[in-house]
Structure formats: C-alpha cells, structure tokens
Amino acid sequence: MELTGSQILLESLQKEGVDTVFGYPGGAVINIYDDLYDSSIEHILTRHEQGAVHAADGYARCTGKVGVIIATSGPGATNTVTGIATAYMDSIPMVIITGQVPTPLIGNDAFQEADMCGITRPCTKHNFLVKDVRDLARTIKEAFYIARTGRPGPVLIDLPKDVQVTKCKFKYPETVSLRGYKPTYSGNSRQIDKAAKMLLRARRPVLYVGGGINLSASNAELLKLAEITQSPVTTTLMAMSGFPQDHPLCLGMLGMHGTFYANMSVTDCDLLIAIGARFDDRVTGRIDSFAQKAKVIHIDIDPTTIKKNVAVDLPIVGDLKDVLGKLCDKLSEQAESLQKLVKNTAKWRETIEEWKQAHPMGYESSDTIIKPQFVIEKVRELTDDNAIISTEVGQHQMWTAQFFQFSQPRTFLTSGGLGTMGFGLPAALGAQVAFPDRQVIDISGDGSFQMNSQELATLVQYKLPVKIVILNNNYLGMVRQWQQMFFDRRYSQTVMELPIDFVKLAEAYGATGLQTSKVADVEKIIKQALETPGPVLMEFKISREENVLPMVPAGKGIHEMVLAS
Amino acid sequence: MKHTISVLVENEFGVLARVSGLFSGRGFNIESLSVAPTLEPDLSRITLVTRGDDRILEQINKQLNKLISTIKVIDFTGEEYVERELALIKVSAEAESRAEALRIVDIFRAKVVDVTPKSYTIEITGASAKIDGLIELLRPMGIKEIVRSGPVVMGRGAKGTAG
C-alpha cells in the first residue's frame, strides 16, 4: 500500500502506541494536520509550541511513555527548543516532529526556515532530517527506540514539506539495529559483588538517589535495598517522588536547599552509593569538600555521568532495576552479614537522628500572614496520595520539594537540570491529559506563572481540571533572596511592580479564580478549588520576603549551610 | 598530554558537526582533525588530536561513544601505531638559499613539487614531529605558506579494525 509521508508518520505513531500528541499547526505541517483531521490520534492544541513540549514532557514524566509533539518549521520549531533542552537535561523520552521547508529550498533562507538539526544537536539525544520518504518509517522507529531506551531523552525528526506529500510503500519495521547504539542494561556481576562487599563493610553508608530511580521504575528495588541494609536515603530534586519521603530512612533532599541532616550525612558518610544521579553542582556544592570521607559507588546507565564530576571508587554501568535487583539478591544471600551490618550502622542512624532533632525542616509559622510552606503543607494534606504535583522554577519549587512529602513515584514534575520557568502549567496540562481522573496541581510563583499563562486557554478548552496554586510575593523571589543575602538587598529588577489580578485572568479564560491573603482562608480555598470542576487558579498572597532555607551559598561546601535568616 | 583518537562513524549528514559540536560544547580542545570515508562507503573515519588529563580524556572517550552515530573510538596513546601527516610548505628560495633548501629537503626525504625562481613548494609525509622538525629548519629562509593535513594513524600488526 502506498502512503504519503504524513500518512506514514501518523501510521507509524500508532504503531508506537501513541494515542495523544501535543502541537501547533503551521504551513510546513499542514499536510500532517490534514491527515490528523481523520485520525484517531488525539491532538491537544496548546497556545504556544513551548507549552506543547512541556505538556508532552509532563505527560512523559508521569506515565513513562514517550511524549510526542508536532510543530511547524521556523519559529514554531525554534519555540520548542527550551522545552527540548528541559527534557534533555532531565532525561525525558520525547519525539519532536518539526516541519521543514521543502528539500529543494533547504539552505536558501526560505520563509520560516530554521536549521533545526543544527539548533537542537546539543540538546537532543539524537536528531534526524528525513530527506527521502522511503527512510521515514525506519527513522520514526529508530527515534522512538533511542528516546525510550538507555538513558532516555528527546529525539527530533525534521520533516520537509515535500517529503510529507511524497508517496511510497509503507511497511513499519519490526526491529531496530543501530550499530553505534547499544546501551548496557545488565550490570557487571563482579562489580555488583564488590559493591555488596563494600556495603557490608560500611559503618556510615548513604544512598544518594537521582532521577534515574523513576526513569527505570526501580523504586521497589531501592526500597528493598534501603530496608534490608537499613541505609539512609537522600534524594535529589529529580528523585523526590522516587522514595517515600515519610520513610524513617529518608533524609529528604540534599544540596543547596537540602536538609541539614542530608547534607551532614553525605559529608560524614564512609560509603556513598550514587544511584541514577549525576553529581550536579546544586547537589555537591563545593566539589572538593563533597563526601570527602567516603568511598563512592556510582550506578548509572550512562557511562558519561560516571567520573564526570567526582572520582569514583566503584563504577557500575547498567539499568538500576537490574543492578539494584542483583545487589539486593546478593546481599539477601548473606543474612548473617546483613545483620552485622545493621548492628554496625546503628550508631550512624543514631547520629543522623540527633541531626534531625537538632535541625528539623521547618519554618516560622504565622497567624497573620500566609507562609508559603504552610500552603504547601495544606495542599499535601488535602490532596490524594497519588495527586500529581508540578512546579515552575524558583522559591516555590524548593518549598514544594522541601515540604510536600511525596510518597508515590512519578508524582512530582519539575524542571531540575535546566530550571525552566513556565514549565509547571503546561506540564500539569500534559499530566491531566494522561490521567483525567487524578488530581493534578501546579504549584507556581507569580513570576514563573506568567511565562506560560496562555495555557490556561488549553486547560479550559479541553476541560482539564488542573488546580493552580500561585504563591504570590510580587517578587522574582529566588533572585530576590540572593540579592538580599549576597547583594546588599539591592533588588535589581526583581520587584514585580505591576500587581496582576490573577482571578480576573483566570476568569478571562473561562476558568475559576480564587484569592486570599488570610491564613484562615487557606484551607477553605484549597478545598473549594478541589471540589470545583474544571481548572481553578488559587492565588495566595504570601509573606513577601520569606526565604528558602537551609541554603548553601554558591562556592561553599554543603555542610556550610545557612540555617536561619 | 597529547592524544590521537580515531573515531569510526556513520558516513551521514551532520556527523562531523556532532563530533566537533561535542568538543566545543564541552570545552574540549581539538588540535587537528581529518575525516575521510573508509573501505565501507557508509562509514567514515575521523582522526583527531586532542589534549587533556586522564579525567578529560575519559570524558572525551565516553562522550564520543555516546553519540548515536559513533561506531568505535580508539585512543592510540600507549598503543603501537604508525602516524603519518602530510604537509605542503611554500618556502622562499633565492640565490644561496636555493641549494640549502634542497639539501634540507633531501635530508628529510621530502619532495619539491612546485618550483618558481623565487620559491619551492615542498611536500613531506611523516610523523607530525618530523614535519615540525623540517619547518624549524626552513623557517629562517622564510616560509610563505603551510598546509598540514593533521595526522592519521593506524595500529601496528596484522590485525585491522573494521571499516
């Protein structure tokens, strides 16, 4: 059967199990949209291509599936770049289809032409320009395979307009063979044996867990490893939902805004097992004082992350599910040694408990002014355990990480690596598309929210009941906090001088808007929002100069925290 | 330390940009780079010379391997290998220096491939260090132009690598 390029694209997407795509039409993809008109694939029309990419990203983060985006050539395509870079930094599987000018015009500075393969080369896992329709089906197969295997990531396919209309015989390939791409899934068993030995000898072990834990769906294996060895667990921002935060072994987040006890534990441990984490600078602080007393075991599917930032004593390349599973098996064979380990490490857990008692996570509560942490605690209290929380980037993001107490995998969607303001609203949108019946909440600040607030229209159009919490301090709060602490309170361009009427903004789009500045109303408003059908925006006017603490100043070791203002 | 790395890649659109973009994006240095197809038409070989400590070289190796288009990466440092570079050197050659230039060419087993009353163009093949040596000796006569290919390398012994 002969099909056009755009028909091949849609057929191939269905073969890959894609039922939903996010996108925005335009001249160079008009043929694809014409075929979408009759297709069973659901298309969600966002109001900006960046919104489409973040929505597909949110969809991918909470489901584990590959998010799919269609955008037109030129500006449509370049608008996707921030979203692609966001997904790349956090290893989110995604396939981005961009229209391109017809092949004979490529390189001619044609109308709405942009060299997307050139622009996205450093922020995609791989990208393709398809110049011949006969290569299209195989390319799509490869793109999905690359996106979802190994360390996942975004893959872009640039599809010229003439290729979309040219016909050829369609047969979707069954298998993929890429001689230059063979990710290692199975961990080396000798290395795993050595890891077991090192762990059994440890007196002060810490498991340092990153986003890989959710990507590899090895949460159960991690829980088992932590419990059989009674090892404390600290999670990065990307792994907050990867390990139950209310677990007695959980130390919460480490790094710049980590807990006192997580940072002290890492500083003092004698064995640090990095699990699907990459020693990001926000985690390590000053690198030459990070975990100096520890032997380091690093488990990751991507060999480039190992020894990139810190020296590693025992590298293990492989899928966490495989490696942690085998490690647990190996340890379980040695019941006696395990018992001894638990005994040997009892004092360590006591020390950590003392740190917890000395400096627990907390904030100064108030009856007169809304504290942002209080709002987050209330949202946690009033929502289901499987509610999906997205955030933008800034103070509200850190407070959410510190105070939300996530308990289920893939329930926290946040831009960790790139730190993209404007991520949360469209990500929540994508999550709600994936799970229409679950509670989806975007926790936001007044600054970030305005970066993609146009997606309110998408929420209303598709009847997506996302609830939005705006913690409004009329500041770009995180930058203001730095200016307060390190720039002598010179609040350069961080005051949001124009007060926005967020309630009216929500109403203008046909959503519900609620607002308060009273502590006593917080609970009532959250309840009301959760009971109201459709999207609801809640604006809380919070204590304006609240800071995110603890904080490790830039250039300091993570044990050198500022604990109070 | 200087490392000569051979990278076998898919001979496809944009692959050189992927490799060079990786070096510039991550702040690795490239001293020289040469690319050409291999016996298999769908494979290309990139030979590049870079510098860095062990940690940087390990990253370069891993990052190159991470590229989907990369089939194989060989760092020849510490291996037995043959290194050859080609250079064309245009040197002033007038009056008494004409004879001297020819003597040097002879000693280095180089060749004169273009002659004018005022210049010689010399072709030399050899390890990069040998070419450096010739250049140093010719420099006092006045070098007008140099074109160097960058080295290519091949492991010693009977065994060949794919491509």
Side-chain angles (χ1 to χ4, degrees):
Chain A
M1 187 177 51
E2 292 231 317
L3 296 181
T4 63
S6 71
Q7 288 167 334
I8 289 173
L9 170 67
L10 297 184
E11 286 292 320
S12 304
L13 291 181
Q14 285 182 311
K15 296 272 188 201
E16 289 294 333
V18 175
D19 51 22
T20 309
V21 301
F22 300 84
Y24 204 103
V29 285
I30 197 163
N31 300 91
I32 298 171
Y33 276 82
D34 188 55
D35 287 320
L36 262 175
Y37 201 69
D38 304 317
S39 168
S40 61
I41 295 176
E42 189 186 8
H43 179 276
I44 306 289
L45 173 70
T46 55
R47 292 303 182 269
H48 190 292
E49 288 89 353
Q50 186 189 351
V53 186
H54 292 325
D57 181 322
Y59 179 93
R61 282 179 205 240
C62 65
T63 60
K65 295 198 261 187
V66 179
V68 181
I69 303 99
I70 302 173
T72 193
S73 66
T78 56
N79 275 345
T80 65
V81 172
T82 301
I84 296 172
T86 304
Y88 184 65
M89 287 288 264
D90 291 343
S91 312
I92 305 304
M94 205 181 254
V95 170
I96 307 98
I97 318 285
T98 49
Q100 182 54 281
V101 301
T103 43
L105 286 183
I106 290 177
N108 280 13
D109 300 324
F111 176 65
Q112 293 196 327
E113 179 183 359
D115 171 14
M116 283 316 289
C117 278
I119 289 170
T120 62
R121 208 170 279 129
C123 65
T124 50
K125 185 169 171 188
H126 196 61
N127 59 22
F128 298 94
L129 169 64
V130 182
K131 285 182 170 170
D132 186 333
V133 71
R134 287 168 298 183
D135 296 333
L136 182 56
R138 181 182 49 80
T139 303
I140 296 167
K141 180 85 185 172
E142 289 176 359
F144 274 85
Y145 177 73
I146 292 168
R148 66 161 76 96
T149 55
R151 178 179 178 176
V155 178
L156 181 134
I157 302 174
D158 204 22
L159 196 54
K161 195 174 157 80
D162 54 330
V163 179
Q164 295 168 31
V165 296
T166 310
K167 281 188 169 179
C168 85
K169 204 160 169 283
F170 172 66
K171 187 172 176 294
Y172 201 62
E174 307 260 313
T175 54
V176 178
S177 168
L178 290 160
R179 48 188 170 177
Y181 177 69
K182 301 217 160 40
T184 306
Y185 276 80
S186 179
N188 181 300
S189 49
R190 254 183 300 174
Q191 296 288 90
I192 294 171
D193 289 355
K194 275 190 211 160
K197 272 192 197 132
M198 284 169 75
L199 184 50
L200 288 172
R201 275 202 303 267
R203 293 291 182 274
R204 302 188 307 279
V206 169
L207 309 182
Y208 147 49
V209 180
I213 201 72
N214 285 331
L215 296 170
S216 61
S218 45
N219 311 77
E221 287 80 1
L222 170 66
L223 187 63
K224 187 173 174 198
L225 177 65
E227 286 185 340
I228 61 173
T229 61
Q230 285 294 299
S231 300
V233 176
T234 177
T235 49
T236 68
L237 181 64
M238 293 304 298
M240 295 312 288
S241 67
F243 189 80
Q245 295 293 317
D246 55 0
H247 194 285
L249 288 167
C250 191
L251 305 173
M253 186 165 69
L254 78 164
M256 182 172 270
H257 292 297
T259 64
F260 172 76
Y261 35 97
N263 285 352
M264 291 310 291
S265 301
V266 170
T267 303
D268 251 22
C269 68
D270 68 351
L271 179 69
L272 186 71
I273 308 188
I275 299 170
R278 59 187 179 87
F279 295 87
D280 172 77
D281 55 285
R282 286 296 194 265
V283 159
T284 62
R286 196 188 155 119
I287 203 98
D288 58 12
S289 61
F290 181 77
Q292 287 299 297
K293 302 171 189 168
K295 293 251 185 244
V296 177
I297 300 175
H298 193 172
I299 311 169
D300 205 290
I301 198 160
D302 177 3
T304 67
T305 63
I306 295 174
K307 299 190 198 169
K308 185 173 67 181
N309 299 334
V310 301
V312 170
D313 298 284
L314 182 72
I316 305 178
V317 176
D319 181 37
L320 295 185
K321 210 172 181 62
D322 175 86
V323 176
L324 295 183
K326 285 180 186 161
L327 184 56
C328 285
D329 291 348
K330 187 80 205 163
L331 290 163
S332 300
E333 287 168 12
Q334 311 171 59
E336 216 167 291
S337 307
L338 264 182
Q339 261 179 4
K340 227 167 92 189
L341 170 72
V342 173
K343 216 176 99 204
N344 287 340
T345 52
K347 190 155 176 297
W348 174 232
R349 284 185 298 277
E350 272 168 40
T351 308
I352 291 174
E353 199 49 46
E354 282 161 23
W355 283 328
K356 276 190 183 179
Q357 301 296 333
H359 297 288
M361 274 309 290
Y363 60 95
E364 214 175 297
S365 60
S366 167
D367 298 332
T368 51
I369 189 153
I370 300 178
K371 291 290 186 138
Q373 302 94 329
F374 172 72
V375 178
I376 287 162
E377 286 178 342
K378 279 289 159 196
V379 173
R380 173 70 178 107
E381 195 184 306
L382 298 169
T383 50
D384 304 332
D385 274 356
N386 73 352
I388 297 168
I389 309 300
S390 71
T391 71
E392 315 290 336
V393 168
Q395 287 185 310
H396 68 274
Q397 178 192 31
M398 291 298 114
W399 286 320
T400 306
Q402 292 176 327
F403 292 95
F404 197 85
Q405 299 285 306
F406 293 91
S407 63
Q408 294 193 15
R410 295 185 179 277
T411 53
F412 183 38
L413 319 178
T414 197
S415 168
L418 197 68
T420 307
M421 291 170 74
F423 170 81
L425 182 63
L429 185 167
Q432 192 79 76
V433 168
F435 295 107
D437 299 325
R438 279 165 70 175
Q439 290 172 336
V440 180
I441 323 275
D442 171 32
I443 297 179
S444 179
D446 53 306
S448 281
F449 183 75
Q450 293 181 64
M451 282 216 178
N452 270 321
S453 60
Q454 77 285 348
E455 300 309 334
L456 278 169
T458 316
L459 294 181
V460 174
Q461 181 185 332
Y462 293 94
K463 301 187 173 59
L464 299 167
V466 170
K467 312 302 177 202
I468 300 149
V469 173
I470 298 181
L471 301 172
N472 187 356
N473 53 13
N474 279 102
Y475 278 126
L476 298 175
M478 189 57 99
V479 183
R480 184 211 57 75
Q481 176 174 338
W482 282 54
Q483 288 171 337
Q484 178 193 339
M485 295 172 79
F486 313 116
F487 292 87
D488 205 17
R489 286 185 185 264
R490 288 154 54 87
Y491 292 167
S492 177
Q493 303 300 317
T494 46
V495 188
M496 302 299 260
E497 303 266 5
L498 181 74
I500 306 290
D501 188 333
F502 286 108
V503 172
K504 271 195 188 152
L505 180 72
E507 287 169 355
Y509 283 108
T512 307
L514 304 168
Q515 189 254 96
T516 187
S517 53
K518 296 197 191 79
V519 180
D521 286 347
V522 170
E523 184 163 337
K524 194 177 74 188
I525 281 194
I526 297 169
K527 278 186 179 161
Q528 189 187 338
L530 291 171
E531 284 159 12
T532 306
V536 182
L537 183 155
M538 296 164 261
E539 179 198 1
F540 298 97
K541 293 190 184 289
I542 59 161
S543 103
R544 289 195 72 200
E545 301 214 349
E546 190 73 16
N547 285 339
V548 180
L549 294 166
M551 177 173 186
V552 178
K556 298 275 190 186
I558 58 168
H559 58 291
E560 300 172 277
M561 286 158 279
V562 177
L563 291 166
S565 302
Chain B
M1 190 181 155
K2 193 162 138 179
H3 290 251
T4 307
I5 298 175
S6 167
V7 194
L8 195 64
V9 294
E10 299 281 357
N11 184 6
E12 64 188 13
F13 159 84
V15 67
L16 179 60
R18 288 186 204 284
V19 172
S20 60
L22 165 64
F23 275 73
S24 61
R26 293 190 179 268
F28 304 143
N29 125 323
I30 299 183
E31 285 193 7
S32 79
L33 179 85
S34 72
V35 195
T38 65
L39 208 54
E40 291 177 41
D42 56 350
L43 290 180
S44 277
R45 190 181 306 276
I46 297 175
T47 308
L48 56 88
V49 178
T50 183
R51 271 177 201 279
D53 58 23
D54 287 352
R55 194 178 65 85
I56 289 174
L57 258 295
E58 182 173 339
Q59 269 298 308
I60 289 175
N61 204 316
K62 285 174 169 178
Q63 294 286 355
L64 283 169
N65 268 304
K66 189 175 173 178
L67 294 175
I68 310 284
S69 317
T70 302
I71 316 285
K72 192 170 183 154
V73 181
I74 307 167
D75 183 348
F76 279 97
T77 311
E79 306 276 326
E80 290 282 312
Y81 65 96
V82 183
E83 174 193 316
R84 288 293 178 271
E85 181 175 3
L86 173 77
L88 295 173
I89 305 163
K90 191 173 287 182
V91 65
S92 294
E94 292 180 80
E96 69 273 21
S97 76
R98 279 183 90 81
E100 176 62 8
L102 284 181
R103 270 198 295 278
I104 295 169
V105 164
D106 210 30
I107 293 165
F108 277 82
R109 283 185 228 163
K111 263 196 300 200
V112 175
V113 291
D114 187 44
V115 186
T116 73
K118 293 180 172 178
S119 71
Y120 288 136
T121 298
I122 298 162
E123 174 195 316
I124 178 166
T125 311
S128 300
K130 177 178 168 187
I131 295 173
D132 293 342
L134 175 61
I135 290 167
E136 280 318 302
L137 286 174
L138 293 175
R139 197 188 293 276
M141 294 173 204
I143 295 174
K144 293 166 176 279
E145 189 180 351
I146 292 182
V147 181
R148 297 178 70 156
S149 65
V152 292
V153 292
M154 185 176 275
R156 287 190 186 272
K159 208 167 139 259
T161 54

